[in-house]
Amino acid sequence: MYSRSIPRRKTCFAMAGSQKFLLLSALLSCLSLSSHAWKPFEVRDDLHFSLEARQANKDGSVPVYKNPKASIEARVNDLLPRMTLQEKVSQLIQGDINGWMDMSNPLDDTLVHNDTGLANMMNTRAGSIWAGYETPWEKLVYAINVGQKYLMENTTLGIPALIQSEGLHGFTDNGTIFPSPIGLAASFDAQLIHDVANVVALEAEGLGINHVFAPVLDLSRELRWGRVEENFGESPFLTGEMGYAYVHGLQDGRRRNTSSTAIARVAATCKHFAAFGSPQGGLNLAQVTGGERELRTTYLRPFERACLDSLSIMTAYASYDGVPAVANSHLLTEILRNEWGYKYWVTCDAGSIDLLITMHGTCATRECAAKAALENGLSGEMGGGTYTYETLAQQVKAGQVDVKFIDDTVRYILRTKFSLGLFENPYPYADYAASLRTPASQAVLQQADRETIILLQNNNKVLPLSKNIGSIALIGPQVNRVSFGDYVFFNATNNAISPLVGFHQYLANVSSSMKINFAQGAELWSNDQSGFPEAVQAAQNSDAAIVMVGTWSLDQTLLWTPGTNATTGEMRDQSDLGLAGSQLELIKAIQSTGKPTIVVFVTGKPVAEPWVKDNVDAIIHQFYPGEYGGRAIAEVIFGDVNPSGKLSLSVPRDVGTTPAFHNYLKGGRPASNPGSMLDDGTLHFGNQYVLNNPQPLWSFGHGLSYTTFQYSNLKLSPSSVSHTAKTVKVSVTVANTGPVTGKEVVQVYATDTLSSVVTPNQELIAFSKVEIAPGASTTVNLEIEVHNLGLWSGSNKWVVEPGTFTIKVGTSDQTFQNATLTVT
């Protein structure tokens, strides 16, 4: 399929440079045989192959590493000692396709490359290559083919590269864009998450991307942090289950024409290891404070569940308990490698090794930073900094770094590459277009956008709106706009449906007479109220008003552009969780018309606005949707889709009442005589808080439906188990007692009645989503893993203590059924 292969003249030029290097290497090899001066390079001492032809054995046999039928371990063990020190270090450093391609213009589709830049890049930064650019697919395929062909055909050992891009909630190189992870988690549907990730992998795989930077397993406990939208919520259990589904959705399968020992088609990247999402003050990169118990009980559990099968992990920028995560031997060596047995590739985040010098203050030089990260983390270096790892070869020669740390780390990246089958086929597919934006991917997209919408409030059953009303007002800055989460490109919005377009499309099919009165009324980022009169008039002229407000993020390019504004996304942290600008005043103006008022929050994090909860008729939360989101919200509001989303995090009343997560430790949220401030200015002083309430507006797991459900017959089997048992079965009967079919999320929580250390007041430990017809009932069967009832003991061990556990079915603030489990 590669019609524009590297011209012969260019290939010969590149080979000439390679041959010069090999001749020099051979000469050095001969000079070193008697003195062992070559030892730091760790090329195999017996030299049963010649240095000039290390990808062939002297007897003419095929090396084990080139044998697709050999085991992965045998191939790694055969290849590593054939590598020079420079080749090993090169595997540890991320390169970039912009080294041989001009990626500055997203509309440029010129298929030319720079030979000198290509050779230079592959000589020093060849282990992985960044390819996450806004560019035509044909140009991306050309760039990847050029790079992989050079590595496979123009280098001595022919080691292919990991080719990397983003896949947080859709393949960013103009693939299908899904809701942000915080929204995906609101589906409480692990199979859906698997299907979403499967689409991401299919689209990436065909274009030659084999390494995807997702999923994010940080926890949304510090809501001021800008990257809340990238997480699966506040629950370690939910995050672990969603992460596990995402990892396997990306990886399961095998690339075309690869070895039978390959185990994945695309490498997932679990990040950020670990505890990154709870920075002090909510400020990105700030330190995370905690001890070993909090680390084990909270932050590490999603990674342990989801990531032991993932082919890569990314470290965090921040420090935990005073130790930078990128050079934390306890995290990265003792726990991840030794305790968990993780055997695949670990990379730092962009530029984070330099932060040992510039932010953490634990190193003064590039040499120190490289040594600290390598020896404590056994991980690679992503770009974005000063490429500190380029000092490693000289440090080995000077005796400052033991080459065994380099060897161990190279083994991990080689193991990942062999596991992907890249040595047999690292190239894009000829028919890559056949897997991009397909009808099948659109079906998954529609399901995701529908199931992630959360109905928070529905006073007097104002929703769904009747299709027979005469007119609706669409008001607010989120109506005529596509709001995606971060880590997508701007051109992705060209594939999406705004709410304004979505309502018009929907009503064109169901009601030819209903009128839409649109008035934006306000900007997301301004206090200007000059548009209010038009918006109020639109509401007065309509039978119902839908006000769409929220936060906004920026695409992958503008996020880092000076002078741009956003309220969510990386490096966009907030001190206030209320609506920015004049948005709240706009809602008040529309509500004052007396027309039924439905507020839709389109955001990347919770919105703390008690006035809205107390005064409007209905509230819907749509965390940043995917491409179909503008149509899905119309389908929900008019009842063609029954909302089934549940909050994957709790919504506080105010930034000052955070944290609001459901699994706080016992005694952590006293609520003695809360105070309040009334709309008329009256102050009611209380105790906790003096003028506010620590209870959230809506708790984790909350979400309404257009139907009703009843629970009965909760049973545990057995009701008494040994602490060494594997699982306990939970069954409960759920009946749909309302008028329409609905999907219900059955949630199971546990509370340890008496424990040796303080444990959470409750913890999500199981869930299942079921669809039930009106008047029907079903028995839902779930399993509790007894291991998840454990705690990190005073003797620093994970133990399941004998005692009783209250098992409840419901949401974090509602109990529908409960039972007692005894552990002996």
Side-chain angles (χ1 to χ4, degrees):
M1 56 82 67
Y2 187 63
S3 59
R4 293 178 175 84
S5 59
I6 303 174
R8 183 175 300 277
R9 175 182 59 82
K10 296 181 179 180
T11 303
C12 292
F13 173 80
M15 285 293 290
S18 178
Q19 288 169 344
K20 290 177 183 178
F21 172 74
L22 292 174
L23 287 172
L24 177 60
S25 299
L27 177 61
L28 291 172
S29 176
C30 293
L31 292 173
S32 67
L33 287 177
S34 59
S35 66
H36 302 289
W38 196 255
K39 258 199 158 187
F41 287 75
E42 288 293 303
V43 175
R44 189 175 296 164
D45 291 334
D46 59 14
L47 290 176
H48 66 275
F49 49 83
S50 66
L51 188 62
E52 297 87 354
R54 285 169 286 143
Q55 61 172 297
N57 293 334
K58 291 182 79 172
D59 62 6
S61 61
V62 175
V64 173
Y65 88 90
K66 296 179 74 69
N67 178 4
K69 295 183 180 180
S71 71
I72 290 174
E73 290 311 299
R75 298 178 79 178
V76 171
N77 291 336
D78 181 69
L79 175 56
L80 181 67
R82 297 174 186 267
M83 300 171 70
T84 66
L85 178 60
Q86 180 57 44
E87 288 167 338
K88 293 174 183 177
V89 172
S90 177
Q91 286 296 302
L92 304 184
I93 304 176
Q94 181 197 49
D96 198 309
I97 60 173
N98 70 6
W100 65 90
M101 299 287 293
D102 180 4
M103 306 306 295
S104 60
N105 184 353
L107 301 179
D108 175 40
D109 61 357
T110 306
L111 305 185
V112 296
H113 67 276
N114 181 295
D115 279 331
T116 302
L118 178 64
N120 289 340
M121 180 68 68
M122 297 310 191
N123 186 47
T124 58
R125 304 169 189 171
S128 54
I129 302 294
W130 175 248
Y133 286 96
E134 183 178 8
T135 192
W137 291 329
E138 187 180 19
K139 183 175 180 180
L140 183 65
V141 165
Y142 174 82
I144 293 170
N145 261 319
V146 166
Q148 295 287 36
K149 275 181 171 286
Y150 182 91
L151 289 171
M152 296 293 284
E153 299 175 8
N154 289 42
T155 64
T156 303
L157 293 174
I159 303 175
L162 296 176
I163 307 294
Q164 304 163 322
S165 188
E166 299 286 352
L168 188 62
H169 52 111
F171 181 54
T172 59
D173 297 70
N174 205 21
T176 306
I177 300 302
F178 295 93
S180 284
I182 198 66
L184 289 174
S187 72
F188 275 72
D189 189 336
Q191 183 60 54
L192 174 60
I193 304 307
H194 181 281
D195 294 345
V196 167
N198 176 58
V199 172
V200 175
L202 283 172
E203 295 186 332
E205 177 188 356
L207 289 167
I209 304 291
N210 54 53
H211 190 195
V212 170
F213 289 165
V216 172
L217 300 179
D218 303 316
L219 298 176
S220 302
R221 292 159 63 88
E222 173 46 85
L223 300 178
R224 292 172 292 181
W225 189 48
R227 302 183 75 171
V228 166
E229 66 186 79
E230 300 179 20
N231 310 333
F232 289 125
E234 69 186 38
S235 162
F237 182 81
L238 179 65
T239 298
E241 295 304 303
M242 298 293 101
Y244 182 89
Y246 210 94
V247 165
H248 283 271
L250 283 173
Q251 293 190 170
D252 287 355
R254 186 180 295 144
R255 289 179 52 80
R256 299 178 191 173
N257 303 317
T258 60
S259 60
S260 60
T261 57
I263 60 173
R265 54 191 172 148
V266 169
T269 308
C270 289
K271 56 182 188 173
H272 306 88
F273 195 76
F276 185 47
S278 295
Q280 182 173 293
L283 296 171
N284 197 49
L285 309 188
Q287 73 269 25
V288 180
T289 302
E292 187 72 9
R293 180 165 294 105
E294 189 166 9
L295 182 69
R296 299 282 190 161
T297 303
T298 303
Y299 300 120
L300 291 185
R301 288 175 65 193
F303 287 93
E304 187 175 12
R305 165 59 174 153
C307 303
L308 299 189
D309 293 333
S310 70
L311 294 186
S312 73
I313 287 175
M314 186 186 296
T315 60
Y317 284 117
S319 62
Y320 184 79
D321 196 25
V323 182
V326 73
N328 190 325
S329 61
H330 179 56
L331 268 177
L332 299 176
T333 302
E334 293 175 7
I335 295 176
L336 183 62
R337 299 298 189 185
N338 299 339
E339 184 179 326
W340 292 358
Y342 187 71
K343 59 183 180 179
Y344 298 110
W345 179 235
V346 174
T347 179
C348 78
D349 208 338
S352 62
I353 295 178
D354 287 75
L355 296 184
L356 297 175
I357 305 168
T358 61
M359 185 176 79
H360 299 300
T362 58
C363 277
T365 65
R366 293 172 66 235
E367 289 78 6
C368 169
K371 177 182 172 68
L374 176 73
E375 294 186 352
N376 291 290
L378 298 174
S379 59
E381 182 173 36
M382 196 186 294
T386 63
Y387 295 98
T388 68
Y389 273 27
E390 290 180 348
T391 69
L392 287 176
Q394 186 57 43
Q395 290 198 74
V396 169
K397 295 173 186 177
Q400 296 166 337
V401 170
D402 191 331
V403 74
K404 79 178 184 66
F405 293 106
I406 293 177
D407 283 351
D408 287 346
T409 310
V410 172
R411 283 183 186 276
Y412 296 132
I413 193 169
L414 293 180
R415 189 175 288 119
T416 290
K417 291 180 178 183
F418 282 120
S419 296
L420 289 167
L422 298 183
F423 282 78
E424 285 67 58
N425 180 20
Y427 303 112
Y429 300 156
D431 61 346
Y432 64 83
S435 61
L436 288 158
R437 309 189 61 77
T438 66
S441 69
Q442 292 299 300
V444 177
L445 169 66
Q446 290 180 18
Q447 182 186 357
D449 269 322
R450 289 164 174 163
E451 291 202 20
T452 53
I453 292 174
I454 310 162
L455 179 60
L456 294 177
Q457 185 165 296
N458 192 18
N459 296 341
N460 301 315
K461 297 184 180 179
V462 67
L463 292 177
L465 292 180
S466 169
K467 300 181 182 69
N468 297 320
I469 62 175
S471 60
I472 58 169
L474 293 180
I475 297 167
Q478 292 285 25
V479 172
N480 193 23
R481 172 187 173 89
V482 173
S483 285
F484 284 153
D486 63 359
Y487 285 99
V488 298
F489 288 118
F490 178 77
N491 66 347
T493 61
N494 295 330
N495 302 318
I497 302 169
S498 71
L500 183 60
V501 172
F503 273 90
H504 277 291
Q505 287 181 353
Y506 173 80
L507 291 175
N509 293 326
V510 301
S511 175
S512 59
S513 61
M514 190 183 305
K515 184 180 179 182
I516 295 177
N517 297 312
F518 165 63
Q520 182 168 311
E523 295 284 358
L524 288 166
W525 45 78
S526 172
N527 283 314
D528 182 19
Q529 298 185 10
S530 61
F532 281 24
E534 181 186 5
V536 168
Q537 187 65 52
Q540 290 172 337
N541 293 340
S542 304
D543 295 309
I546 300 163
V547 188
M548 302 189 68
V549 294
T551 61
W552 70 102
S553 192
L554 290 173
D555 69 89
Q556 196 167 323
T557 302
L558 291 177
L559 190 66
W560 305 104
T561 302
T564 57
N565 62 53
T567 51
T568 63
E570 187 167 4
M571 300 295 288
R572 307 286 177 155
D573 311 313
Q574 291 180 278
S575 64
D576 188 344
L577 298 178
L579 293 166
S582 61
Q583 293 183 87
L584 177 59
E585 295 306 314
L586 176 63
I587 297 172
K588 290 180 178 180
I590 302 306
Q591 188 268 347
S592 69
T593 66
K595 294 300 177 80
T597 302
I598 299 107
V599 170
V600 180
F601 293 131
V602 182
T603 77
K605 60 172 58 179
V607 173
E609 291 288 5
W611 187 93
V612 178
K613 181 179 187 296
D614 294 340
N615 290 277
V616 305
D617 296 288
I619 303 172
I620 291 174
H621 205 130
Q622 185 181 41
F623 289 106
Y624 294 140
E627 297 171 12
Y628 192 75
R631 179 68 178 268
I633 194 66
E635 294 172 342
V636 166
I637 284 177
F638 283 101
D640 281 19
V641 171
N642 190 351
S644 62
K646 306 289 184 180
L647 284 171
S648 57
L649 39 63
S650 302
V651 180
R653 299 184 63 84
D654 182 87
V655 69
T657 66
T658 59
F661 47 81
H662 75 285
N663 53 342
Y664 58 89
L665 296 185
K666 294 170 185 172
R669 189 172 294 161
S672 173
N673 185 29
S676 63
M677 294 184 288
L678 303 185
D679 291 340
D680 63 5
T682 302
L683 303 181
H684 286 170
F685 288 91
N687 298 91
Q688 294 171 319
Y689 290 103
V690 170
L691 289 172
N692 213 325
N693 190 328
Q695 300 304 320
L697 290 176
W698 295 284
S699 293
F700 174 86
H702 172 78
L704 304 177
S705 171
Y706 294 150
T707 191
T708 54
F709 298 97
Q710 264 188 2
Y711 287 71
S712 60
N713 300 322
L714 176 62
K715 297 178 182 177
L716 305 180
S717 179
S719 59
S720 180
V721 296
S722 165
H723 65 280
T724 60
K726 295 295 185 183
T727 61
V728 172
K729 293 182 179 179
V730 179
S731 68
V732 66
T733 300
V734 184
N736 183 341
T737 56
V740 295
T741 297
K743 292 184 177 181
E744 172 71 336
V745 177
V746 180
Q747 304 166 48
V748 181
Y749 296 79
T751 300
D752 190 346
T753 306
L754 187 66
S755 52
S756 62
V757 297
V758 183
T759 53
N761 78 101
Q762 60 178 341
E763 187 86 68
L764 181 74
I765 56 170
F767 63 88
S768 179
K769 193 167 192 175
V770 292
E771 185 173 44
I772 310 174
S777 63
T778 185
T779 298
V780 181
N781 296 301
L782 308 96
E783 282 193 344
I784 298 173
E785 291 193 20
V786 175
H787 175 81
N788 286 334
L789 300 175
L791 53 80
W792 191 252
S793 71
S795 56
N796 289 321
K797 293 180 181 179
W798 187 266
V799 297
V800 178
E801 294 184 336
T804 60
F805 294 79
T806 299
I807 306 298
K808 78 168 187 177
V809 176
T811 67
S812 69
D813 61 348
Q814 284 183 290
T815 299
F816 303 141
Q817 294 270 286
N818 65 65
T820 299
L821 174 67
T822 301
V823 176
T824 60

